[in-house]
Amino acid sequence: MTIDSDSFLTALRLSDSFLPVGGYTASYGLEQYVNEGRIGDGDDLRALLAGYLRRVVGPCETVALANAHDASSSDDLDQLLEVDARLHAVTMPSEFRESSTKAGAKLCELLAGTEEDLASVDVRTGLRQKFATRIDAGETPGHYPVVFGVVAQSRGLPRLEACLSHAYSFVTGLLGAAQRLGRFGHTEIQRVLGDLESVVVEICDRHVDDDATAMASFAPLAEIMGMRHERAGRRLFMS
Amino acid sequence: MGYRDVAKIGIGGPVGSGKTALVRRLVPELVDEGYEVGVIANDIMTQEDADVFRESFGDLLPADLVEGVETGACPHTGIREDPSMNLAAIDEFTERHPDLDVVIVESGGDNLAATFNPELADYFLFVISVAEGEDIPRKRGPGVTQADLLVVNKTDLAPYVDADLEVIESDAADVRGDDPFVFTNCKDGTGVDEVLEHVDREVLFA
């Protein structure tokens, strides 16, 4: 794997919790697992997040991201809209969809307001701008992994590295949420993160070349947790 | 229409200092002045809490102009480093109510270091309570020193907590220089008119 310095920094920036797209408000059902006493220790957390990676992030979000990246490189808006629509259809809990689309819209908006350096004709009139316009008009949901794929491609971050960055940030986002919801030591959390790195690599390798039509998630308990969270007795998170 | 098209007032301050009480005092006055107002409360814990908050404004505000935003146990992040979800909520307000004039964003309970992101709040009030101790202003927390208006609330409790209002006044003047501060008792409304005058002058007529 070779990656140039600019792309490497793009990967860091996109996977950093410093990126202001509201990631800290999303737990993707994790809060409900905690509310129901289903997570007791780091082992539970590791098993749960490995499940998320293998059942949702890999076959669903990574496939969407990789295909959005492809659509961006071939300047194919129709394909991009198809990927976005498909991700919307396979994301069952409404709060998961809401967290993802809000973050997607904010990433678009953020870059529009900060990329004067890249405001070439390509960016102003290109696929990313057309996609942002469709999102603004409410014509496409604008899911975060889809926007992420387009942004990564337009900034020169290769497809696999973009998928790895996204999956990694998903894991750190949920580990951060777990730490705020439960009582996990920082060393324990880092140990779980280290253990999950191989799963991140595994699911990205497995799904980076999947066709968009293969996109599907199978995580019924996580989805039920996500749905129960809507009526939870305690809510610190938006999902 | 979007968040850039409405006036935004941030209200921060420690837990229990009277932020919500101030919001409940200000909203009827602003509505009475003819403004269309939206209110966002951060860290609403349950839908029931959100419903109670909506009901507290009775017929003053449409239910869809009162919103709770959960900040993932990071109240400061929500108003400072990453206000994106608050801005998204304001965007939803403006989509539904294009004539909206002003949105009040009430933060979750803060420590004295909390400040509002200037892209989220055009004007930022920081509310402290005399019951938190008369030494709060002289700690020089960024919330106390950088707010556009410092509100020192619950003045009625001063005698019961050994807080000397003259000390608080002197310290507040010292740490804030020429920037204003107001003493209030939001329970009976004392001082709220003065807060409103600042808001009118600095935000709505600015």
Side-chain angles (χ1 to χ4, degrees):
Chain A
M1 181 191 295
T2 55
I3 180 169
D4 65 46
S5 300
D6 287 345
S7 298
F8 180 65
L9 290 177
T10 292
L12 293 179
R13 186 174 175 189
L14 289 175
S15 57
D16 193 338
S17 63
F18 191 64
L19 190 71
V21 294
Y24 67 99
T25 66
S27 90
Y28 291 101
L30 183 68
E31 180 169 31
Q32 194 60 18
Y33 278 93
V34 175
N35 284 347
E36 297 189 13
R38 292 172 183 267
I39 298 176
D41 56 24
D43 291 338
D44 295 341
L45 197 54
R46 182 188 301 104
L48 178 64
L49 291 192
Y52 267 100
L53 286 167
R54 292 195 172 106
R55 302 296 182 190
V56 181
V57 179
C60 205
E61 298 189 355
T62 299
V63 177
L65 196 162
N67 279 276
H69 194 286
D70 276 349
S72 179
S73 51
S74 55
D75 201 26
D76 188 340
L77 180 63
D78 289 340
Q79 169 68 3
L80 193 61
L81 296 175
E82 172 64 27
V83 170
D84 202 25
R86 193 171 280 274
L87 182 55
H88 200 66
V90 299
T91 307
M92 299 294 169
S94 66
E95 288 187 347
F96 290 15
R97 292 195 298 273
E98 197 177 349
S99 280
S100 176
T101 54
K102 281 186 173 171
K106 283 299 164 194
L107 182 57
C108 264
E109 190 182 297
L110 180 71
L111 293 173
T114 58
E115 282 191 340
E116 286 84 4
D117 60 319
L118 294 180
S120 63
V121 173
D122 280 355
V123 171
R124 282 202 303 274
T125 63
L127 184 76
R128 212 173 80 194
Q129 183 54 44
K130 288 177 190 163
F131 188 50
T133 303
R134 295 294 186 104
I135 295 171
D136 274 349
E139 294 169 3
T140 192
H143 278 280
Y144 188 65
V146 179
V147 177
F148 193 113
V150 176
V151 170
Q153 193 279 329
S154 68
R155 296 185 69 101
L157 182 62
R159 197 173 55 158
L160 176 61
E161 287 76 6
C163 293
L164 288 165
S165 299
H166 173 262
Y168 176 82
S169 65
F170 182 90
V171 171
T172 55
L174 257 61
L175 287 175
Q179 220 169 359
R180 302 199 294 281
L181 284 163
R183 297 194 63 194
F184 298 97
H186 58 291
T187 310
E188 186 177 29
I189 288 289
Q190 286 296 318
R191 194 176 298 123
V192 173
L193 176 60
D195 292 346
L196 288 171
E197 280 178 8
S198 61
V199 186
V200 167
V201 172
E202 168 201 318
I203 60 113
C204 289
D205 283 344
R206 185 185 302 157
H207 294 287
V208 68
D209 293 321
D210 282 0
D211 190 85
T213 56
M215 197 190 307
S217 71
F218 183 75
L221 185 58
E223 289 166 351
I224 289 168
M225 290 298 111
M227 293 172 190
R228 280 191 191 162
H229 185 261
E230 294 170 29
R231 295 176 296 282
R234 183 187 77 165
R235 289 172 57 94
L236 298 173
F237 288 79
M238 294 174 74
S239 65
Chain B
M1 278 289 285
Y3 71 82
R4 294 185 179 89
D5 303 307
V6 290
K8 300 173 291 292
I9 300 169
I11 298 187
V15 173
S17 62
K19 297 182 293 299
T20 305
L22 180 61
V23 173
R24 286 179 177 165
R25 287 280 176 189
L26 287 178
V27 166
E29 299 292 338
L30 291 168
V31 170
D32 196 44
E33 289 179 2
Y35 296 112
E36 190 167 5
V37 184
V39 177
I40 294 172
N42 282 192
D43 273 350
I44 292 280
M45 306 290 269
T46 66
Q47 194 55 47
E48 188 182 334
D49 292 336
D51 291 342
V52 168
F53 198 57
R54 285 191 182 97
E55 285 166 15
S56 73
F57 294 108
D59 297 329
L60 285 173
L61 303 182
D64 65 353
L65 277 178
V66 182
E67 195 62 66
V69 169
E70 296 94 344
T71 53
C74 300
H76 299 75
T77 308
I79 61 163
R80 192 174 53 198
E81 294 93 324
D82 183 356
S84 56
M85 293 300 116
N86 277 310
L87 294 173
I90 298 172
D91 281 340
E92 287 174 11
F93 281 180
T94 57
E95 278 170 25
R96 293 194 293 260
H97 298 269
D99 295 328
L100 190 66
D101 298 299
V102 57
V103 175
I104 297 176
V105 180
E106 180 191 341
S107 82
D110 302 311
N111 64 27
L112 301 178
T115 53
F116 267 78
N117 184 316
E119 293 177 52
L120 175 62
D122 304 301
Y123 191 77
F124 157 37
L125 296 85
F126 197 74
V127 183
I128 60 173
S129 155
V130 302
E132 290 153 355
E134 68 178 21
D135 61 339
I136 294 286
R138 66 174 173 267
K139 289 176 186 283
R140 296 174 191 268
V144 171
T145 61
Q146 293 181 23
D148 295 298
L149 180 65
L150 175 67
V151 177
V152 184
N153 190 35
K154 302 192 184 182
T155 49
D156 54 317
L157 296 184
Y160 307 106
V161 294
D162 293 330
D164 186 333
L165 293 180
E166 288 183 8
V167 170
I168 294 176
E169 183 171 12
S170 163
D171 288 348
D174 183 41
V175 303
R176 285 185 57 77
D178 293 333
D179 293 330
F181 59 93
V182 175
F183 282 103
T184 59
N185 172 1
C186 287
K187 195 174 173 187
D188 69 5
T190 304
V192 173
D193 284 351
E194 201 179 339
V195 174
L196 193 64
E197 281 171 23
H198 283 280
V199 169
D200 276 339
R201 189 169 60 242
E202 303 298 332
V203 188
L204 299 171
F205 295 151

